[in-house]
Amino acid sequence: MIGTLNAMIQGLLLGGLYALFAAGLSLIFGVMRMVNIAHGDLIVASAYFAYFVMQMLGIGPFTSLLIVVPVVAAFGYALQRWLLNYTLGAGDLPPLLVTIALSIILQNVLLIVFTADVHRLQAGPIEIASWAFNSELSVGVLPVLQFVTSVIIIGALQLLFYKSSFGRAFRATSDDQQVAQLMGIETRHIFSLAMALSLAVVAVAGVFLAIRTNFNPFTGPLLLIFGFEAIVMGGLGSLWGTLVGGILLGIAQAIGGQIQVGLPFVAGHVAFLAVLYFLPQGLFPKVSQ
Amino acid sequence: MAPILSLKKVSKSYGAIVIANNLDLDVGEGEALGMLGPNGAGKTTLFGLITGTIRANSGRIEFLGEDISRLPPEQRCRRGLARSFQVPQPFGGMTVFENLTVSAAFSKNRSERDVYQDCARILDECGLTDKANLKAGSLTLLDRKRLEFARALATKPRLLLLDEVAGGLSEAECELLVGLIKRIRKTGISIVWIEHVIHALVATVDRIVVLAGGVFVADEAPENVVLHPKVAEIYMGLPGD
Ligand SMILES: Nc1ncnc2c1ncn2[C@@H]1O[C@H](COP(=O)(O)OP(=O)(O)OP(=O)(O)O)[C@@H](O)[C@H]1O
Ligand SMILES: [Mg+2]
């Protein structure tokens, strides 16, 4: 019983990261109606980049974020501005095909540069530090830190969207691209900023995840699926819903893992399918306009 | 006086449908120009060509003396071109006030405070102050049309393109908007106004052109336009000469 409770708390805390993956994904979809198949691979690439920066400079993963986040964001801007923007405006297929290609390219470049060996980011003593409630129930410092960071980032995104001129430009573009342009908004720039923001968010999540779990060049597609599942469970278009979706996914996986070691992902998929079946709009459907 | 907008030999067609055939047009600084034409003549498409959402097949469009033919819509907007839509297209999920502030998102040298004051003033002029915090998607047709005006004005236009303001409104509602257009005129903003309700146009504009078959078949003072045989043919179903 205590074991299950422990697992659920673990799952809940991990869910914050899934919510960040999902937030990055739904930001892109919301602003430019583009499904970024390479999303998971970009997360993994960010983790590798953090690994590289840590090796080069001899710093820890948290400090590396100071370099990783801006560089990954700049990369996202350039990627959108000079590649992905050209795939938009001619139906759903071109961006899908190009991001599938990007996914394959990223995986293989990572394979060549870093080999197929699993990697992990070393964070030092904080990895095993924990708060014990009693002899059986304890919570790791690191997972709590991850979760709090996730909630803060989601809250910041929420503020950005609803309280800043930047966010208004995002929402206007998402609502009607052409009218937004006619109001002086350079949509190609907005799209590129959205990609930069999306990747900045998932870079943080990617680094946190890479401290907890092993990754290799082919981990990306799995993370993409987690992102999708969290979005769909939470309901498209609501950031707090996405957070809840991510948490549900984390808890489902944790309970699955409790039942049997090989089961967490299957349990996550089952929870996802159950939500999809019973609440096809997700838990927090977007109120229709 | 130098024209604020010039179309020079602009052509556009969709297959067999000819929208503009070597079309020339000058709109004077401060002028209010009315535009008539049968359904499907291409009036709305012409606005698309001017604002840059549609590309012409050939020809030149000049605004304030500059060739803008190759500029994207947002650049044309920033130079002072704005339009309203025949069917209002508000950002439905945003509030009325937010709809206006969108244009300020990337305009440099304007503090958030200035933007807010400007937008509040425009809302007031357009009679939308008490609806400022409603979702734009929940507005009535009249208020949506007002919002079209307000949102266009928020971009600080030099030339305002209005597409069928009166359509779908009652006579009294139409009067309200015509009054608003007259006030906008007084501030020195040039206007091109497409309208099927001829008497509303005649009472407001300086000149009326009639688009049909890709050319302007008439270009008259308002009071003469109803006498023009082509207009009679188009609007009264009378045979022309
Ligand atoms: N993208 C397009 N592709 C093909 N044909 C088009 C396209 N856009 C408009 N048309 C056609 O061009 C013609 C002109 O349309 P437009 O809406 O500009 O006319 P209008 O003068 O504004 O008519 P109304 O008075 O009914 O508003 C119509 O026949 C329309 O079907
Ligand atoms: Mg029209």
Side-chain angles (χ1 to χ4, degrees):
Chain A
M1 192 57 225
I2 286 287
T4 310
L5 187 62
N6 252 326
M8 282 178 68
I9 292 171
Q10 285 296 325
L12 179 146
L13 298 177
L14 179 64
L17 293 187
Y18 294 163
L20 290 189
F21 295 161
L25 201 56
S26 72
L27 172 66
I28 296 303
F29 182 76
V31 174
M32 51 192 129
R33 307 286 142 188
M34 186 182 100
V35 176
N36 179 12
I37 299 294
H39 191 70
D41 304 292
L42 288 162
I43 298 172
V44 173
S46 307
Y48 273 109
F49 181 56
Y51 177 80
F52 173 77
V53 169
M54 288 164 60
Q55 296 291 311
M56 292 304 287
L57 303 180
I59 53 179
F62 301 112
T63 325
S64 82
L65 285 174
L66 293 175
I67 295 169
V68 171
V69 170
V71 170
V72 168
F75 174 77
Y77 188 94
L79 178 70
Q80 185 67 38
R81 184 98 200 189
W82 290 294
L83 178 68
L84 298 178
N85 272 346
Y86 294 101
T87 69
L88 298 176
D92 295 335
L93 205 51
L96 271 181
L97 291 177
V98 171
T99 54
I100 288 172
L102 184 65
S103 158
I104 295 169
I105 293 169
L106 279 172
Q107 289 175 18
N108 285 282
V109 168
L110 292 175
L111 181 64
I112 292 167
V113 178
F114 294 99
T115 76
D117 296 346
V118 293
H119 284 67
R120 195 155 159 193
L121 304 183
Q122 306 293 333
I126 194 175
E127 283 184 38
I128 46 165
S130 68
W131 290 297
F133 292 106
N134 58 42
S135 59
E136 285 170 291
L137 194 64
S138 69
V139 194
V141 171
L142 188 61
V144 169
L145 185 65
Q146 285 169 352
F147 186 75
V148 170
T149 308
S150 303
V151 173
I152 290 174
I153 291 178
I154 297 262
L157 284 176
Q158 183 81 13
L159 268 182
L160 183 80
F161 282 148
Y162 292 97
K163 298 286 177 223
S164 75
S165 64
F166 191 65
R168 285 194 294 270
F170 271 176
R171 285 188 292 142
T173 307
S174 153
D175 189 316
D176 190 328
Q177 252 185 62
Q178 183 178 316
V179 176
Q181 268 186 308
L182 289 171
M183 298 208 59
I185 290 180
E186 190 187 353
T187 46
R188 306 199 149 253
H189 178 57
I190 289 292
F191 291 167
S192 308
L193 287 176
M195 184 58 86
L197 185 60
S198 165
L199 291 194
V201 167
V202 298
V204 177
V207 166
F208 270 112
L209 190 74
I211 297 169
R212 283 181 79 128
T213 57
N214 293 332
F215 57 98
N216 68 36
F218 304 105
T219 312
L222 194 60
L223 302 185
L224 174 70
I225 290 176
F226 292 168
F228 274 133
E229 289 181 341
I231 294 180
V232 173
M233 289 210 260
L236 255 176
S238 154
L239 276 169
W240 294 119
T242 302
L243 180 62
V244 175
I247 289 173
L248 268 185
L249 182 64
I251 292 179
Q253 289 186 358
I255 293 176
Q258 256 325 96
I259 297 168
Q260 202 193 315
V261 187
L263 223 50
F265 298 158
V266 178
H269 301 331
V270 168
F272 160 73
L273 289 174
V275 171
L276 200 59
Y277 186 79
F278 292 107
L279 299 163
Q281 300 284 307
L283 293 163
F284 298 89
K286 194 182 170 88
V287 278
S288 58
Q289 294 165 4
Chain B
M1 202 196 312
I4 188 165
L5 177 76
S6 298
L7 307 193
K8 302 203 158 144
K9 302 214 170 308
V10 171
S11 295
K12 174 74 188 175
S13 53
Y14 289 116
I17 305 171
V18 178
I19 306 288
N21 183 9
N22 274 327
L23 208 61
D24 286 314
L25 176 71
D26 279 344
V27 181
E29 180 99 52
E31 186 181 25
L33 176 73
M35 192 182 295
L36 291 171
N39 288 116
K43 304 177 296 298
T44 299
T45 308
L46 211 53
F47 276 9
L49 295 174
I50 296 170
T51 52
T53 50
I54 302 171
R55 281 289 156 94
N57 299 124
S58 64
R60 236 169 107 86
I61 300 173
E62 289 176 7
F63 183 65
L64 292 165
E66 178 192 8
D67 182 3
I68 57 165
S69 318
R70 313 213 149 269
L71 293 181
E74 68 272 12
Q75 289 295 336
R76 300 189 195 196
C77 164
R78 291 176 196 183
R79 280 165 174 71
L81 260 173
R83 72 169 288 184
S84 73
F85 284 90
Q86 189 167 348
V87 178
Q89 298 185 13
F91 301 121
M94 300 168 73
T95 68
V96 169
F97 191 70
E98 283 177 329
N99 263 264
L100 265 67
T101 55
V102 165
S103 68
F106 285 91
S107 58
K108 316 274 186 301
N109 324 321
R110 278 171 84 190
S111 69
E112 188 88 352
R113 193 193 158 92
D114 285 350
V115 168
Y116 272 55
Q117 280 173 354
D118 264 354
C119 293
R121 182 181 49 72
I122 292 167
L123 273 190
D124 192 42
E125 278 168 14
C126 297
L128 283 172
T129 303
D130 50 338
K131 317 253 167 52
N133 294 320
L134 297 182
K135 285 265 191 295
S138 70
L139 296 180
T140 61
L141 181 63
L142 175 65
D143 287 334
R144 279 168 188 249
K145 296 219 168 195
R146 284 171 158 156
L147 179 56
E148 285 287 311
F149 280 50
R151 207 170 49 171
L153 288 174
T155 68
K156 298 188 164 285
R158 301 280 301 272
L159 173 64
L160 187 55
L161 309 174
L162 302 172
D163 197 351
E164 294 201 28
V165 171
L169 296 182
S170 71
E171 188 72 15
E173 291 173 329
C174 181
E175 282 302 314
L176 283 172
L177 293 186
V178 170
L180 182 54
I181 294 173
K182 286 180 172 160
R183 288 199 296 281
I184 293 172
R185 272 210 66 181
K186 289 217 181 74
T187 64
I189 296 174
S190 313
I191 288 173
V192 179
W193 177 10
I194 297 171
E195 190 56 78
H196 283 302
V197 181
I198 300 184
H199 68 86
L201 267 191
V202 171
T204 316
V205 299
D206 303 313
R207 180 165 66 110
I208 294 179
V209 291
V210 181
L211 180 69
V215 293
F216 291 122
V217 294
D219 183 343
E220 300 279 345
E223 56 277 15
N224 296 338
V225 84
V226 282
L227 305 173
H228 196 282
K230 280 286 184 188
V231 176
E233 182 187 331
I234 293 163
Y235 284 93
M236 282 77 146
L238 304 174
D241 53 350

